[in-house]
Amino acid sequence: MKVLDNLKNIEEKIHIACENSGRSREAIKLIAVTKYVSVERAKEALEAGISDLGENRDEGLLNKYAVLQDKPNWHYIGSLQTRKVKNVIDKIDYIHSLDRISLAEEIQKRAKEPIKCLVQVNVSGEESKHGMDTAAVMGFIKELAGFDKVKVAGLMTMAPLTDDVQILRQCFRSLKNLQVEIQNAGFAHAPCTELSMGMSNDFMVAIEEGATMIRIGTALVGE
């Protein structure tokens, strides 16, 4: 399937989810996760009108950046090793996986400009998933006040791999509630306007529960 054909299918579903929840399509940023596909396929996504690409390893990002440069908005969506920060920091627009102070310290040290970061939260509590425990997030965000290169743009989570809509809804709603709590605290360094949640199998539920960024790989650009 061409990316453009896949995109039409996904856009229809995004519009349905927006109608179901009384939200506007403009409130949702679609990120094409290109980590498993070629540079050519990533380029096809850009030509289809997608402006945001997501990578989860520095090698993959650097390979595609060498060709595509800063045409897309680049999202680093995988767990970021501290020692890899220097490789990618001035090429990316968003980091979706801030989950520890040592990573914030490295970003602070390496970034030329403030970078938009999303705090990764392990809402489901699954051991296989990266991210902070929900209870630790507020304290972590307070601790980030001293880092002028780290802007807490929002929160990110990965839901359990399940078809149970109630479990998915509960997971996404928990992240939304946490976002509201942080926004109500009024931190200058943490506007926390973004919610990065929802992938190929669950993005409609995520939108209905408040996602502002959805990360779609397989259903959009293929394997």
Side-chain angles (χ1 to χ4, degrees), residues 13 18 37 47 86 89 99 108 110 154 176 178 199:
K13 290 178 178 176
C18 285
V37 300
E47 287 163 0
K86 64 180 183 293
I89 193 65
D99 61 356
Q108 179 70 22
R110 303 284 183 180
K176 176 65 184 176
L178 185 57
M199 302 196 293

Side-chain angles (χ1 to χ4, degrees), residues 98-168:
L98 178 58
D99 61 356
R100 59 199 187 280
I101 281 293
S102 60
L103 181 54
E105 287 169 346
E106 190 66 15
I107 293 166
Q108 179 70 22
K109 183 172 144 188
R110 303 284 183 180
K112 295 190 181 95
E113 301 291 332
I115 184 151
K116 294 185 277 274
C117 297
L118 290 91
V119 174
Q120 185 169 354
V121 188
N122 185 355
V123 178
S124 67
E126 292 173 278
E127 283 185 19
S128 61
K129 288 196 166 56
H130 290 280
M132 306 194 72
D133 184 67
T134 308
V137 172
M138 188 62 89
F140 179 62
I141 285 175
K142 286 177 183 171
E143 217 176 329
L144 293 172
F147 296 78
D148 65 344
K149 295 290 195 293
V150 176
K151 183 178 183 182
V152 183
L155 306 174
M156 181 272 237
T157 200
M158 294 172 73
L161 196 59
T162 177
D163 294 327
D164 188 326
V165 173
Q166 285 315 113
I167 290 174
L168 294 172

